[in-house]
Amino acid sequence: MLLKLLLRSTTAGSAISLFAFLAGCSSPKAPSGIEIEAVLQSAKSNLVFVEGGEFWLGDVGNESGLLFNPITDDNKPPKLVEIESFSILKTEVTWGQFVTFLRDVGRAGDYTIEKGFKWAVRLPIISNDDPASPNYKDKPARSPNFKEADSYCMWLAEKAGLPYSLPSEAQWEYAARNRGQPIAFATDTGEVELDKYLQRPSQYIDPMQPVSGNALIHSSIDAERRPVGSYPPNPLGLHDMTGSVAEWTKDWFYPGYAHLPTKNPVAKQPSNEHADKRVVRDLAGFGDHVGGNATVYGRVGRSLDSNYQGFRCVVNHPKPIN
């Protein structure tokens, strides 16, 4: 709250300087063993087992044959694939968990305005207990780049001794679609009822405003989001696979799915045309959207240094972990 009071009395230019000072004036302390163990226990207890099977990856259309996402071609034609069972985090990784990781590996101080990370103006790499702050520990993490999202899951794997990783694009869609069902949105009903939380100027947003609806799909330019798990889960028990923040997957981006194998598909090599891009899913998490891009079939390639995405991890093991 002190930060909010300070910012109210500063100009835009001095606010940037203040953020730079707060975010980059000293090296963040390494987390305690207790802090790390809390992250590991939370990750393990929040895993949801997803039984594998066959499904059509891509825009399958509804029962009437109408496409869910008619305005783009890179999610069609759908491809019949088979994936093995896995477990996936029921919520996106939180900001507090992510900052604990960055502190533990000594990289929390690498992302400051002084070192060229402009996003630190809006989201300095610190976490706090203030629900009014975009740095609130229980809000979804926004990774500075693909490497840090990928490294977080590998860090979990090393610390916990379990095969954590970012999900493949096929795993992500299979889980979002309740094991491959032909639905439009990964909500409790398969439809979207928008929360009115961000439908007002940012200075009037109240973080204590009760949750409404079943998804947050507003404001692509606002760092503000609800804490993870604020909305009802999909039938598998997974939260925010529609809305909140967009999510990294491990796949290199290609238009369409012709390049993928049919068993446990994942694009392990970059394409010539999109050599620096990985697949991002849940475009509703960007906020503003058009056509069918907010559905679970929306996908896009983002450069490896893109800093707007959240993520969740999977455990690639054919039996339940819990």
Side-chain angles (χ1 to χ4, degrees), residues 122 170 174:
R122 298 167 65 190
Y174 185 69

PDB file of all heavy atoms in Angstrom, residues 122 170 174:
ATOM      1  N   ARG A 122       5.843  -1.804 -15.018  1.00  0.00           N
ATOM      2  CA  ARG A 122       4.504  -2.224 -14.604  1.00  0.00           C
ATOM      3  C   ARG A 122       4.521  -3.428 -13.684  1.00  0.00           C
ATOM      4  O   ARG A 122       3.573  -3.647 -12.942  1.00  0.00           O
ATOM      5  CB  ARG A 122       3.665  -2.553 -15.848  1.00  0.00           C
ATOM      6  CG  ARG A 122       3.463  -1.351 -16.762  1.00  0.00           C
ATOM      7  CD  ARG A 122       2.923  -1.760 -18.110  1.00  0.00           C
ATOM      8  NE  ARG A 122       1.584  -2.331 -18.019  1.00  0.00           N
ATOM      9  CZ  ARG A 122       0.987  -2.943 -19.045  1.00  0.00           C
ATOM     10  NH1 ARG A 122       1.627  -3.061 -20.198  1.00  0.00           N
ATOM     11  NH2 ARG A 122      -0.219  -3.418 -18.919  1.00  0.00           N
ATOM     12  N   ALA A 170      -0.701 -30.089 -27.515  1.00  0.00           N
ATOM     13  CA  ALA A 170      -1.766 -31.089 -27.531  1.00  0.00           C
ATOM     14  C   ALA A 170      -2.258 -31.386 -26.117  1.00  0.00           C
ATOM     15  O   ALA A 170      -3.469 -31.524 -25.888  1.00  0.00           O
ATOM     16  CB  ALA A 170      -1.281 -32.369 -28.207  1.00  0.00           C
ATOM     17  N   TYR A 174      -6.095 -30.702 -25.003  1.00  0.00           N
ATOM     18  CA  TYR A 174      -6.823 -31.889 -24.536  1.00  0.00           C
ATOM     19  C   TYR A 174      -7.415 -31.638 -23.147  1.00  0.00           C
ATOM     20  O   TYR A 174      -8.584 -31.958 -22.893  1.00  0.00           O
ATOM     21  CB  TYR A 174      -5.854 -33.062 -24.507  1.00  0.00           C
ATOM     22  CG  TYR A 174      -6.449 -34.408 -24.158  1.00  0.00           C
ATOM     23  CD1 TYR A 174      -7.310 -35.070 -25.029  1.00  0.00           C
ATOM     24  CD2 TYR A 174      -6.089 -35.042 -22.970  1.00  0.00           C
ATOM     25  CE1 TYR A 174      -7.819 -36.327 -24.730  1.00  0.00           C
ATOM     26  CE2 TYR A 174      -6.579 -36.298 -22.656  1.00  0.00           C
ATOM     27  CZ  TYR A 174      -7.452 -36.939 -23.546  1.00  0.00           C
ATOM     28  OH  TYR A 174      -7.952 -38.189 -23.220  1.00  0.00           O
TER      29      TYR A 174
END
